[in-house]
Amino acid sequence: MPQTKINLAGLLVASLLSTVVSAANFGGPDSVDNTISEQSAEKRTWRDDLVQNGVTLGIDYNAVGFISANGSEGNSVSTRGGVARFYGQWDAVGRDTPNTGSLVWKIEHRHAYSDYPPKDYAFLSGFEGKEGLGYIGLIQPAFNDQGGRLTNFYWKQRINGGKTSLIVGFQDVTDYVDAYALASPWTAFSNLAFQTGAGAMGLPDDGLLSLSAGHMITNNVYVVAGVADANGRSNIEDVLEGFDTLFNDHDLFTSLELGWTASQEQIYTDNIHLTYWHIDPTFNDDGSVRHSAFASQGLNYSLSYFVTPHLMPFLRGGFSFEGDAALYETSVSAGLGYFALGAPNNNLGFAVNWSQANKDAWGTNDSQLIIEAFYNIQIGDYIQLTPDLQWINNPLLSDESNAFVLGLRGRIFL
């Protein structure tokens, strides 16, 4: 049974469902090494020479669209966007040993097909003459209109027989903070309430100059910690300014996670963890608030476990103790993932979230309820389609009492 659970977890988390994920990476499903772990020998025909030299590559294109008849002013509203990604890893030191040293990268282009990107779809409630859902939350925040960006460019060193990992460079903090198997916006839930931080964590931009580390204290207990430049920006033209903002401004995002896992290979599938986070006040050059006007901090929790070889229920959420960086003061999510439903590579997700708005950010602590269901369908070796349905009860910035949102996500990968 344990080996069956490891295999199924690998199928989901790699999102291409063909190999066991090396969860010893201390990263979530979107970390580069976990994303490319699906590349089977059959798919490497043009990459054989690179693979022999320790280089693995991945390319994908992701597109998503949403439509709802329940906009904040009662009209039909929709949004569409796409993301192209090129990512890879070069095992330059200690190849084929537990103590590998690797150069990791991920370059993206994010763009909208509509008047505004999916990232803005939830918030908009008549601002700038545009109508959205009027919901305090985010639906597919990864699909913005940023253009070219550097999400990852770092060195990862495994030591201590693979039980310890150190990473330094430009990182996406969601790769190592509050990770669990269904966190990926590319293959799993679309609503941030069911992704990293559950909406109750103040997250900075991606591609930040950072230092993070993970260590297995025992065979079952681990710790992951990180510190990142809270002022960093991932867009290509500004990413190198992170050296200036980190060493001169000293505004940081810090996190510390303590967790239990059934084994190192199941570190974000069969997992219980608590994550403490803190972000300093951050402002734009014109003085406007960027991530937070005040120091913010909170605690997130996550429990997930395969109760059968196919079924993984979870309970997740968080509490924002202080500050305005998080969307919610309180967030509670419960749901499940069901693997191999209808076909070996298809997966179902269903979850419910109750959230209480962050009064420091919104001036109210009223609550909202969200239900989301998705079905990730693998078509052949290189295509995924994911229909998605969400019901939002009491969107706090809307004139409507309910909003039903229909979505469709597509992914082509090599």
Side-chain angles (χ1 to χ4, degrees):
M1 180 69 71
Q3 182 61 42
T4 303
K5 290 183 357 181
I6 292 172
N7 289 341
L8 285 168
L11 294 180
L12 169 70
V13 178
S15 79
L16 305 178
L17 314 173
S18 58
T19 61
V20 176
V21 168
S22 177
N25 295 328
F26 294 100
D30 288 336
S31 63
V32 168
D33 35 10
N34 286 335
T35 302
I36 63 179
S37 67
E38 58 80 25
Q39 294 170 354
S40 65
E42 291 79 10
K43 297 180 184 178
R44 289 176 176 163
T45 54
W46 60 275
R47 306 177 195 176
D48 281 339
D49 290 341
L50 291 175
V51 171
Q52 294 302 315
N53 289 287
V55 178
T56 50
L57 303 174
I59 302 171
D60 65 16
Y61 187 82
N62 306 266
V64 71
F66 297 98
I67 188 168
S68 174
N70 312 114
S72 60
E73 300 172 15
N75 300 305
S76 178
V77 291
S78 63
T79 185
R80 299 171 301 282
V83 180
R85 306 190 300 170
F86 169 63
Y87 41 87
Q89 176 173 308
W90 174 35
D91 295 335
V93 177
R95 191 180 313 147
D96 300 323
T97 74
N99 297 325
T100 308
S102 306
L103 180 66
V104 179
W105 68 89
K106 183 190 293 180
I107 302 169
E108 303 179 337
H109 192 280
R110 300 185 176 187
H111 43 274
Y113 308 142
S114 50
D115 290 340
Y116 54 81
K119 180 181 180 181
D120 297 337
Y121 187 51
F123 275 127
L124 290 173
S125 56
F127 300 130
E128 300 179 354
K130 300 174 183 177
E131 182 181 359
L133 296 174
Y135 154 60
I136 295 179
L138 289 171
I139 296 176
Q140 283 297 8
F143 286 79
N144 56 43
D145 201 18
Q146 187 178 18
R149 50 183 276 134
L150 181 68
T151 306
N152 293 148
F153 190 74
Y154 59 76
W155 182 265
K156 183 170 193 171
Q157 183 66 53
R158 295 180 178 88
I159 58 176
N160 191 28
K163 293 185 178 296
T164 304
S165 290
L166 301 172
I167 301 177
V168 60
F170 293 95
Q171 302 179 55
D172 177 354
V173 300
T174 64
D175 284 348
Y176 64 84
V177 174
D178 189 36
Y180 86 116
L182 293 171
S184 173
W186 318 108
T187 60
F189 289 104
S190 291
N191 200 301
L192 181 66
F194 309 116
Q195 297 175 4
T196 301
M201 180 181 291
L203 291 168
D205 198 357
D206 308 332
L208 307 177
L209 196 59
S210 313
L211 173 66
S212 64
H215 174 66
M216 295 298 300
I217 301 173
T218 71
N219 290 335
N220 303 108
V221 178
Y222 70 92
V223 62
V224 177
V227 57
D229 173 26
N231 286 309
R233 299 177 184 273
S234 58
N235 46 302
I236 295 293
E237 59 269 26
D238 295 327
V239 67
L240 293 180
E241 293 182 7
F243 290 100
D244 177 64
T245 55
L246 175 62
F247 295 110
N248 291 320
D249 296 338
H250 311 300
D251 297 326
L252 303 174
F253 172 84
T254 54
S255 64
L256 176 65
E257 178 173 305
L258 182 66
W260 175 94
T261 179
S263 71
Q264 189 172 359
E265 289 72 28
Q266 296 161 275
I267 198 166
Y268 61 88
T269 56
D270 291 354
N271 174 283
I272 300 171
H273 69 249
L274 288 173
T275 306
Y276 169 78
W277 61 271
H278 180 279
I279 188 169
D280 291 325
T282 51
F283 299 90
N284 295 308
D285 293 339
D286 62 4
S288 60
V289 176
R290 187 173 178 208
H291 300 304
S292 56
F294 313 101
S296 302
Q297 61 180 328
L299 187 68
N300 282 67
Y301 60 90
S302 180
L303 300 85
S304 62
Y305 194 82
F306 275 88
V307 296
T308 76
H310 296 278
L311 186 63
M312 188 197 76
F314 63 86
L315 177 66
R316 289 172 46 80
F319 308 94
S320 176
F321 301 146
E322 175 186 34
D324 58 336
L327 296 173
Y328 309 136
E329 288 183 6
T330 306
S331 176
V332 180
S333 297
L336 57 87
Y338 194 96
F339 306 98
L341 179 63
N345 294 341
N346 296 353
N347 301 301
L348 173 73
F350 177 85
V352 180
N353 172 265
W354 177 87
S355 61
Q356 183 182 37
N358 186 343
K359 192 170 185 178
D360 288 340
W362 302 101
T364 178
N365 60 359
D366 288 347
S367 61
Q368 305 168 124
L369 181 72
I370 306 100
I371 296 176
E372 180 178 359
F374 73 87
Y375 186 44
N376 184 264
I377 305 166
Q378 180 105 3
I379 302 173
D381 289 334
Y382 307 108
I383 298 174
Q384 291 177 340
L385 288 178
T386 307
D388 182 278
L389 180 63
Q390 298 180 54
W391 171 50
I392 304 170
N393 176 248
N394 191 36
L396 295 177
L397 304 179
S398 174
D399 295 334
E400 301 284 289
S401 57
N402 294 279
F404 293 91
V405 183
L406 181 64
L408 181 64
R409 183 176 61 228
R411 181 171 180 247
I412 300 174
F413 50 89
L414 297 174

